[in-house]
Amino acid sequence: MSFAIVTGVSKGFGAAIAELLLEAGIHVMGISRTENDRLCKVAKDYNRIYKHYACDLTKLHEVEKTIDQMLDEIFENEPPTLYLINNAAIVQPVNQ
C-alpha cells in the first residue's frame, strides 16, 4: 500500500492531486491549514486512507511535529513507496 504526503490539500491544485492519487489507489496524508471534506468522501468511496493534518508550513515547530506524527502512521504500514508532493504556497495580492 503506497502513500503520498501532499501539502496544500485544502483547495486548488493540491486538492486535485490528492483526489487523483486516492482514485489511483494511493493513500494520502494531507497537510494544509484547513480541512477539505471532499477528500474524506473520495477516500471513503475508493476505500483508501486519507488523513488531514492541520499545519501552518511557515512555522517550523509545527512542521516538525506534524511530520513526526505523519511518518509514524505511514511507516506502521510499511509502504513500498512514499511520494511527496510539496504544493503549498501563498499568493500575495498582485499590484499593477
Side-chain angles (χ1 to χ4, degrees):
M1 103 174 44
S2 295
F3 277 81
I5 297 171
V6 182
T7 65
V9 295
S10 62
K11 57 188 170 187
F13 194 59
I17 291 170
E19 187 170 335
L20 287 172
L21 290 167
L22 290 165
E23 291 171 356
I26 298 169
H27 304 288
V28 174
M29 301 296 191
I31 303 174
S32 62
R33 288 178 286 185
T34 57
E35 175 70 80
N36 179 326
D37 294 331
R38 173 155 172 71
L39 292 175
C40 294
K41 181 186 179 318
V42 171
K44 184 177 179 181
D45 290 347
Y46 286 90
N47 196 30
R48 301 291 175 249
I49 296 168
Y50 171 73
K51 184 160 183 187
H52 177 259
Y53 292 84
C55 180
D56 182 342
L57 294 175
T58 65
K59 298 179 180 171
L60 185 57
H61 67 280
E62 280 187 40
V63 174
E64 290 173 344
K65 181 180 172 187
T66 300
I67 293 297
D68 286 343
Q69 291 173 338
M70 189 180 295
L71 291 178
D72 286 345
E73 289 188 49
I74 291 170
F75 287 118
E76 283 179 4
N77 295 290
E78 299 180 7
T81 308
L82 175 59
Y83 302 95
L84 171 63
I85 293 90
N86 192 10
N87 169 71
I90 297 175
V91 177
Q92 299 295 325
V94 178
N95 294 327
Q96 295 184 1

